[in-house]
Amino acid sequence: MTSLTAKEASEPIRGAELLVNEVIGVPTGIGSSARRSRSQAYDSWLARLLPARPGVALVAVGGLGRRQCAPYGDLDLVLVHAGVPGIDEMAAALWYPIWDAGLRLDHSVRTVAEALSVAQDDVRVALGLLDTRLVAGDPELADTLARSATDHWRRTAVRQLAPLRESTTARWAAHGELAFLLEGDVKEAAGGLRDVGILRAIATAGITDALRPAVHAAHLRLLDTRDALHQQVGRRVDRLLAQERDGVAALLGLRQAPPGRVEAEPSGTPRPRTGATLAPGDGDALLRRVAGDARTVSHALDDAFRAADRLRSGRRRGADGRPVRRPVARDVVEHDGELVLARTAIGARPDPSLSLRVAAAGAATGLPIARATCEWLAAYCPPLPTPWPAEARDALTTLLGAGVGLIPAWETCDRYGLIDGWLPEWTRLRSLPQHNPVHRFTLDRHLVQTAFEASRHTRDVDRPDLLLLAAFLHDIGKGLPGDHSTVGAPIAEAMAARIGLPAAEAELIAILVRLHLLLPEVATRRDLADPVTIGRVAEAVGDVTTLDLLYALVRADAAATGPAAWSDWKGRLVAELVARVRTTLDTGAVPAPPAPDPALVAGPLPVVHLTGDRVAVAAADRRNLLATVAGCLALHRLEVLAADASTVDGRALVECRVQPRYGLPPDPVALSADLRRAVGGDVSVTQRLRGRALAARGAGARPRVVWHRDAATDAVLLELRAADAAGLLYRVTSALDAAGAQVRAARIATLGGDVVDAFYLVGAWPSDPERARLEAAVLAAV
């Protein structure tokens, strides 16, 4: 076998994973026993590579040092020596066979003093040396390094944890939170395996008992997940991609379970990839398990960093030398920067609302709740009666409306099982993944985040308490069969009644949950100038109080969902819809549609106006003007969000709201020139439009056409659901025009990679054959 050069050794080796198993015989498999077997195999092979020589030792750090080798992980090795001659040649003779075997290697050659010096300046090296374990060579030298590294860390940990926290925060920012990612990195993301290493280092320093049983169990499950991921893919990979999820779940023994349940075989059970047929795995169950484990790790690390901060800054003490205690709420005091129970609360029979009141105090003050307090509440706080007492209900409102303090307080209570005692439905919701690409959080976190966002709008509504509760419950029906708004409404009403709301207020919560998608869907898919649109929304909402609550809930929901769920354009449309519906509810009359732009109905034709995201065109009255304008906009890489066509005094008017498809605005001079030529009938522009649009057709699931009767004053609504593609509006409007249909308005709603395009076709409800003909024309164009 040819040896690699140093440069070649640093490059990935094609098929390296196969070489490892062929040359060394490293076993695959999942679980603690499999990881120990791999470590033993590496130890035996590496020991044969190092000649026996006093003053030289090969030590492992990282996964091999901890005997936690992944199937296709790296080797982290240190060749320690006592200044013996010829160490460079010995190192080369050791490293090259490892590279030749196809292994990724992180290596160094150092004396004990050199290793400690590097650890002094680099906290990552200091942490790595805590895993030092002898593989071959001088045991006394290896023991000296291990003891010295541990002693050095214990002496310097409090000082070194500050830069470690900074680098950890930067890593979290780069990789995100594992608990909320659909394709998270199980090693580098917040709550992943890298964070367990930090917890182990903090525990070694004696700052706090960071590696509690729950953390240890979560760590083992995360290691099993990484083992299964390596085995599923057949190479080293730490990011749990969607296409691997079901296979990894099957290797871990996670099977399909009823909604709200997660079933698994015991962690660590080996699942050989070959020689067995595995039933399909439950990828969602895997995501929920990973999310729960990541939250356990993250919460433990937050606690550990706080303990280190207290140790570094020192306790606040009063004149008597005791740590300062400050009352912050009934039965709750601040002690040493954390919230604990007052002595009177511990000695008396606990109030069922006590845990909620402690949580509310934590959220309101921004102070963490002490671990011992959470454990005491979980063990001794009695269950809440039905309905809840007023104190508990008020505490929940305070908690949900606390702003930035809500999320950490909620996460703390969830880690200790307190929330399951308040809301039994939470078990089904916890860590439930949302596969819609616009969502950035799991369902439970999304609900809490929506309540947080709703707290920004409490001064805009008459009943801020109902806004907060509706925001918290708006997606309660997700994960159950059926439309989640419809399914969730009676669940939310029952929960509101159990919390203690009067029947009328519980019914209003149900209405808000059922209608929480109404405003954005109507605003983006319907003609807001049509009296039928405004009248139906007003009828559904019923009164201004409900309208204001819905409007605040919509904005909170969008902010909690993610940046793709909202835009300035959508915000303007929803605000316009709310204003028109408010006028209808106040006066009983639907506002008149806005008058056409005076600049379009006067002056020589054609007229082209480009202002911001608005494109307006006036031309001699003729068919197919909307299609021509839409095609020209597609040619200039503009997406049409809304389009209106009308005829005034013999002029055809088209107004469109647009946005750049790829983020770069077009050249306004070229766009204006092409629009003028196109609406004037220039054949060369038309041919260019057709060629470009036909080349840009999208792909995806089978498109579908849905008809809506009585959805407009003077038109029939045809709704197209299809994959998004450049030029789609041009093709569909051209097809409808060729089929004899007149489009007076179009609304385009983009949902990830799909669109829901609504076309208002002037005229009465068409016959069955006519609808079939128009539908066929539209689908052929798509």
Side-chain angles (χ1 to χ4, degrees):
M1 184 176 292
T2 304
S3 295
L4 302 174
T5 66
K7 179 179 184 303
E8 292 170 334
S10 65
E11 300 293 332
I13 302 174
R14 188 175 182 84
E17 293 80 6
L18 296 178
L19 282 173
V20 173
N21 290 325
E22 291 173 1
V23 175
I24 306 173
V26 176
T28 57
I30 300 166
S32 298
S33 61
R35 289 188 286 271
R36 285 193 298 269
S37 296
R38 281 191 289 273
S39 300
Q40 291 169 1
Y42 280 126
D43 285 357
S44 299
W45 180 70
L46 291 169
R48 296 196 298 269
L49 300 179
L50 183 70
R53 187 170 178 181
V56 177
L58 178 64
V59 300
V61 295
L64 182 57
R66 298 185 299 272
R67 293 188 172 92
Q68 294 172 349
C69 293
Y72 301 112
D74 295 350
L75 289 184
D76 296 319
L77 300 173
V78 181
L79 186 61
V80 188
H81 65 97
V84 300
I87 191 66
D88 291 339
E89 292 77 7
M90 185 181 298
L94 177 62
W95 305 144
Y96 276 100
I98 298 173
W99 287 325
D100 288 342
L103 289 167
R104 294 179 176 88
L105 175 64
D106 188 354
H107 62 92
S108 60
V109 181
R110 290 177 179 136
T111 65
V112 171
E114 289 170 343
L116 296 178
S117 176
V118 175
Q120 179 76 21
D121 299 327
D122 190 335
V123 66
R124 292 172 299 178
V125 174
L127 264 60
L129 290 178
L130 297 179
D131 299 322
T132 297
R133 183 176 63 82
L134 176 67
V135 173
D138 189 334
E140 184 176 347
L141 185 63
D143 183 63
T144 299
L145 175 61
R147 285 187 292 100
S148 301
T150 301
D151 291 343
H152 173 269
W153 170 250
R154 286 172 175 163
R155 284 185 282 102
T156 63
V158 174
R159 176 177 56 80
Q160 295 212 65
L161 280 177
L164 175 61
R165 190 170 192 171
E166 291 180 5
S167 63
T168 300
T169 302
R171 171 169 54 81
W172 291 345
H175 293 278
E177 296 180 77
L178 181 58
F180 309 124
L181 295 171
L182 292 177
E183 295 188 334
D185 189 310
V186 297
K187 182 177 181 181
E188 301 292 346
L193 294 170
R194 185 77 72 186
D195 285 352
V196 179
I198 299 175
L199 283 171
R200 188 169 51 252
I202 293 175
T204 300
I207 295 173
T208 182
D209 55 339
L211 292 177
R212 295 169 63 81
V215 176
H216 180 69
H219 181 211
L220 291 179
R221 286 190 293 268
L222 289 172
L223 288 172
D224 290 348
T225 300
R226 185 176 65 172
D227 288 355
L229 180 58
H230 282 204
Q231 193 163 320
Q232 169 70 18
V233 179
R235 58 184 174 83
R236 177 193 171 183
V237 59
D238 294 327
R239 187 170 296 280
L240 186 57
L241 298 177
Q243 63 265 27
E244 312 296 348
R245 199 179 296 141
D246 287 347
V248 172
L251 289 168
L252 292 172
L254 295 169
R255 299 288 183 262
Q256 294 289 342
R261 291 179 57 201
V262 178
E263 295 181 348
E265 296 187 20
S267 175
T269 303
R271 298 289 169 193
R273 191 180 185 196
T274 58
T277 301
L278 293 173
D282 188 343
D284 279 3
L286 173 63
L287 285 177
R288 296 186 76 165
R289 193 176 87 168
V290 169
D293 292 337
R295 282 173 158 172
T296 297
V297 172
S298 291
H299 185 72
L301 189 52
D302 286 343
D303 273 350
F305 275 138
R306 282 199 302 271
D309 290 342
R310 289 196 301 271
L311 188 62
R312 184 170 58 250
S313 59
R315 294 186 171 188
R316 294 172 52 204
R317 297 184 181 273
D320 58 358
R322 295 180 179 180
V324 173
R325 291 173 65 91
R326 177 178 64 92
V328 297
R330 186 166 71 88
D331 297 328
V332 185
V333 299
E334 178 190 353
H335 175 80
D336 201 16
E338 294 182 325
L339 293 187
V340 300
L341 292 174
R343 296 183 181 91
T344 54
I346 297 175
R349 177 178 174 82
D351 175 359
S353 66
L354 180 59
S355 61
L356 265 167
R357 290 191 287 109
V358 172
T365 61
L367 293 172
I369 306 171
R371 187 177 73 195
T373 298
C374 292
E375 292 173 342
W376 190 94
L377 291 170
Y380 299 111
C381 192
L384 287 160
T386 301
W388 288 11
E391 275 193 317
R393 187 168 60 254
D394 292 344
L396 178 64
T397 301
T398 301
L399 174 61
L400 295 178
V404 294
L406 164 62
I407 293 171
W410 191 276
E411 284 288 311
T412 297
C413 294
D414 198 17
R415 289 301 90 199
Y416 291 93
L418 300 180
I419 294 173
D420 290 351
W422 308 337
L423 305 168
E425 297 84 356
W426 200 250
T427 301
R428 177 178 64 82
L429 306 174
R430 183 179 291 109
S431 300
L432 188 66
Q434 301 192 87
H435 295 288
N436 189 313
V438 301
H439 275 280
R440 57 178 171 168
F441 293 130
T442 53
L443 177 57
D444 56 338
R445 173 62 185 275
H446 172 68
L447 295 177
V448 179
Q449 188 75 27
T450 305
F452 162 71
E453 299 292 347
S455 68
R456 305 174 188 271
H457 303 288
T458 51
R459 297 182 181 179
D460 301 334
V461 298
D462 293 335
R463 290 297 304 272
D465 56 333
L466 298 185
L467 170 62
L468 293 170
L469 187 58
F472 177 64
L473 298 177
H474 74 285
D475 277 348
I476 197 73
K478 283 188 175 179
L480 299 174
D483 179 273
H484 77 276
S485 301
T486 304
V487 172
I491 300 174
E493 184 173 10
M495 294 176 68
R498 190 172 74 240
I499 289 169
L501 265 62
E505 295 179 4
E507 182 180 2
L508 179 53
I509 292 293
I511 292 172
L512 295 173
V513 170
R514 186 173 64 252
L515 299 182
H516 76 272
L517 296 177
L518 175 68
L519 297 181
E521 286 186 349
V522 170
T524 57
R525 301 183 189 180
R526 297 294 181 263
D527 181 6
L528 302 188
D530 194 313
V532 170
T533 300
I534 305 303
R536 289 193 171 178
V537 174
E539 181 182 3
V541 172
D543 57 69
V544 173
T545 296
T546 305
L547 178 66
D548 289 341
L549 287 169
L550 273 178
Y551 185 33
L553 174 55
V554 163
R555 289 175 287 170
D557 186 17
T561 298
W566 199 251
S567 64
D568 291 342
W569 166 78
K570 180 181 280 190
R572 288 196 302 269
L573 286 181
V574 173
E576 179 184 348
L577 172 62
V578 169
R580 294 174 70 80
V581 172
R582 183 189 303 278
T583 299
T584 300
L585 292 172
D586 285 340
T587 66
V590 177
D597 185 349
L600 298 179
V601 296
L605 298 176
V607 178
V608 175
H609 283 175
L610 308 177
T611 52
D613 64 351
R614 177 175 173 267
V615 175
V617 174
D621 189 13
R622 65 178 179 85
R623 299 182 67 88
N624 206 32
L625 181 62
L626 176 58
T628 300
V629 172
C632 191
L633 295 175
L635 179 65
H636 287 265
R637 296 181 175 85
L638 286 172
E639 291 181 328
V640 179
L641 304 173
D644 291 289
S646 59
T647 301
V648 177
D649 297 332
R651 290 177 174 235
L653 310 180
V654 172
E655 294 189 61
C656 298
R657 294 289 179 179
V658 299
Q659 68 180 12
R661 176 169 284 272
Y662 304 112
L664 297 176
D667 179 356
V669 175
L671 173 59
S672 178
D674 275 348
L675 282 169
R676 292 177 183 278
R677 292 167 59 199
V679 302
D682 189 313
V683 177
S684 64
V685 177
T686 304
Q687 290 174 342
R688 188 157 54 107
L689 294 174
R690 290 175 179 172
R692 181 73 61 88
L694 289 174
R697 293 194 176 191
R702 184 185 298 276
R704 181 186 175 202
V705 169
V706 178
W707 295 85
H708 296 274
R709 187 195 291 267
D710 300 329
T713 305
D714 59 349
V716 175
L717 197 62
L718 181 153
E719 194 173 80
L720 170 65
R721 303 171 185 177
D724 188 19
L728 180 63
L729 179 62
Y730 166 67
R731 296 198 306 274
V732 173
T733 50
S734 295
L736 288 170
D737 181 76
Q742 181 182 350
V743 180
R744 75 159 174 81
R747 294 293 181 273
I748 288 79
T750 303
L751 308 171
D754 292 338
V755 293
V756 179
D757 291 355
F759 298 92
Y760 285 76
L761 308 183
V762 176
W765 183 255
S767 63
D768 290 348
E770 180 67 6
R771 291 203 312 274
R773 186 177 68 83
L774 292 175
E775 184 172 330
V778 169
L779 294 177
V782 176

